[in-house]
Amino acid sequence: MDAYLLSIQPTSAEPIYRQITGQIRRLAAGGQLRPGDALPSVREVAAAHAINPMTVSRAYSQLEAEGVLVRLRGKGMVVAEAAAADPSPRRWALIDPALDAVARQARELELPADELLARLAQRLQQEDSP
Amino acid sequence: MDAYLLSIQPTSAEPIYRQITGQIRRLAAGGQLRPGDALPSVREVAAAHAINPMTVSRAYSQLEAEGVLVRLRGKGMVVAEAAAADPSPRRWALIDPALDAVARQARELELPADELLARLAQRLQQEDSP
Amino acid sequence: MDAYLLSIQPTSAEPIYRQITGQIRRLAAGGQLRPGDALPSVREVAAAHAINPMTVSRAYSQLEAEGVLVRLRGKGMVVAEAAAADPSPRRWALIDPALDAVARQARELELPADELLARLAQRLQQEDSP
Amino acid sequence: MDAYLLSIQPTSAEPIYRQITGQIRRLAAGGQLRPGDALPSVREVAAAHAINPMTVSRAYSQLEAEGVLVRLRGKGMVVAEAAAADPSPRRWALIDPALDAVARQARELELPADELLARLAQRLQQEDSP
DNA sequence: GTGGTCTAGACCACG
DNA sequence: GTGGTCTAGACCACA
């Protein structure tokens, strides 16, 4: 995995270390990161995104505690065997909160369901191609 | 408006005051809160949800600064005249970030677009009826 | 809970933050810390043991991620409802690794079982009284 | 001594080189490794457990520095004459820290002494037979 | 008052 | 080379 594949937005309200954990967690659950795949080193990620190594280290440590990554001493972090692509139900569980939030906000804004779905469909297509 | 119409989850990652401002802002933008409508008093909201009155007050003050609410001496806060239901484009802008997040997460999880849309559609229906 | 009830040994091979997490985890599992009990603030613990607040904060955050503690915004950390005293089997699971280590080392050292048990029994009594 | 008699767990929290030094030190103190006994070569151990030869070499060097092993040119490492089975008091000293840890954890978990001793006794028996 | 986050820099442990 | 740990200090967000 390339350090630049992570998308870090330092200005976001979401803490940097949480952006990292969330993305890696989802990439592993979705199968784009497979058991045994090596992750970019803490220093690589830190340099690539101009952030502090400890911030990256914190994210990796948390993923290790969750069982998503395992530490190979002296070699770095790799995706854990136990973190093979999640079965469908567990993957949906990871996106459920975001879907709930969208539905609630749409109801509060009284936005029509059909157009909402159309807008989401458009985004899903756009991001598929590139 | 009834104090209990607000949905507050103290354990959520989203700060309490932001849950309040977000919901009121969207209810006003969507037209469910109309100019002149009275809001529950700070004490009512605080008591109803067992949260700190200062937190509610802070949310109201921020909405006042935004022009969504106005403070009527002795009567409390009411929805501002200028906060009539937003035209469509501005309303969509309020939900765009949440849509972006869903699309990005779905791509990372490699979730199929059709089922994702079906799941969202289901939630939109469910929440419409009750 | 008093900040001084934690036993911190800065010279130990075990990292400080792990000493904290281990002790709190076991005290909650054993019922000496009950759901709702407040923990000493990060700053209190740091001052009491002359360690860096961030070290304490790191331990608390990890316990929150595990579900042992919950954060009450602006108030501090309390023991989670879900962290009521563990049933017996789960508590034993927490000490199993240490028991395994003792048994393995005793076998390697060819130490007699009866005297080993006697020595452990003695320690268990000593620590019970004070 | 056979290379496979060492029990190495690369994922353990205990560093690999320390697993090696600890086991050999205890086997020598307990008399299962006697002065003059040959140890498996660095390459054998490394191959048998799929670990880095440097790690094994480092463990051996440390044991040599302690006087547990001696390096015989062309023959490899053998147990030192001075490393005859330790007298009882010194052997107990090697297991004391582990006993202390068990006692402390048991107290924090509020586990009953009698059952704890029973569980340890069971492990000591089980591991004696095979 | 509470905890959260990040930085900068140091030192260590491991392979 | 790898990650781990800790410190010191700053600033922020929340209640």
Side-chain angles (χ1 to χ4, degrees), chain C residues 26 91 96 100 108 123, chain D residues 26 96 100 108-109 123:
Chain C
R26 286 188 292 268
R91 271 196 270 168
D96 266 353
D100 287 337
E108 290 164 357
R123 278 156 216 262
Chain D
R26 286 188 292 268
D96 266 353
D100 287 337
E108 289 165 356
L109 285 166
R123 276 156 218 264

Side-chain angles (χ1 to χ4, degrees), chain C residues 6 16 22 34 71 80:
Chain C
L6 287 175
I16 294 174
R34 302 190 174 188
R71 229 176 62 208

Side-chain angles (χ1 to χ4, degrees), chain C residues 34-91:
Chain C
R34 302 190 174 188
D37 281 359
L39 273 83
S41 78
V42 165
R43 293 164 172 84
E44 275 177 338
V45 175
H49 298 94
I51 57 181
N52 192 300
M54 201 181 177
T55 304
V56 184
S57 178
R58 181 178 176 182
Y60 278 12
S61 295
Q62 184 169 330
L63 289 168
E64 188 198 11
E66 288 179 20
V68 175
L69 303 182
V70 293
R71 229 176 62 208
L72 294 193
R73 298 173 199 270
K75 290 186 180 176
M77 312 288 287
V78 303
V79 178
E81 291 300 324
D86 275 348
S88 189
R90 293 191 49 192
R91 271 196 270 168

Side-chain angles (χ1 to χ4, degrees), chain B residues 78-125:
Chain B
V78 302
V79 178
E81 290 299 326
D86 275 347
S88 188
R90 290 192 49 192
R91 273 197 269 169
W92 285 109
L94 288 177
I95 209 172
D96 266 353
L99 279 182
D100 288 335
V102 164
R104 184 169 43 77
Q105 292 180 25
R107 195 197 56 189
E108 289 165 356
L109 286 165
E110 295 217 315
L111 293 174
D114 52 356
E115 188 172 352
L116 184 76
L117 293 170
R119 280 173 171 256
L120 178 56
Q122 186 187 16
R123 278 156 216 263
L124 293 169
Q125 287 178 353

Side-chain angles (χ1 to χ4, degrees), chain B residues 41-62:
Chain B
S41 75
V42 166
R43 290 175 189 173
E44 277 177 334
V45 175
H49 298 94
I51 58 180
N52 194 317
M54 261 188 61
T55 306
V56 184
S57 178
R58 176 179 176 181
Y60 278 10
S61 297
Q62 180 168 335

Side-chain angles (χ1 to χ4, degrees), chain A residues 47-95:
Chain A
H49 298 93
I51 58 181
N52 191 297
M54 200 183 177
T55 304
V56 184
S57 177
R58 181 178 176 183
Y60 279 11
S61 295
Q62 184 168 331
L63 289 168
E64 187 198 12
E66 287 178 23
V68 175
L69 303 182
V70 292
R71 230 174 61 206
L72 293 193
R73 298 173 201 269
K75 290 187 179 174
M77 312 288 286
V78 303
V79 178
E81 290 300 323
D86 274 347
S88 189
R90 293 192 48 191
R91 271 197 271 169
W92 286 109
L94 289 177
I95 208 171

Side-chain angles (χ1 to χ4, degrees), chain B residues 64-75:
Chain B
E64 186 189 14
E66 288 179 20
V68 176
L69 302 181
V70 292
R71 197 179 301 264
L72 293 191
R73 296 169 181 268
K75 288 188 62 181

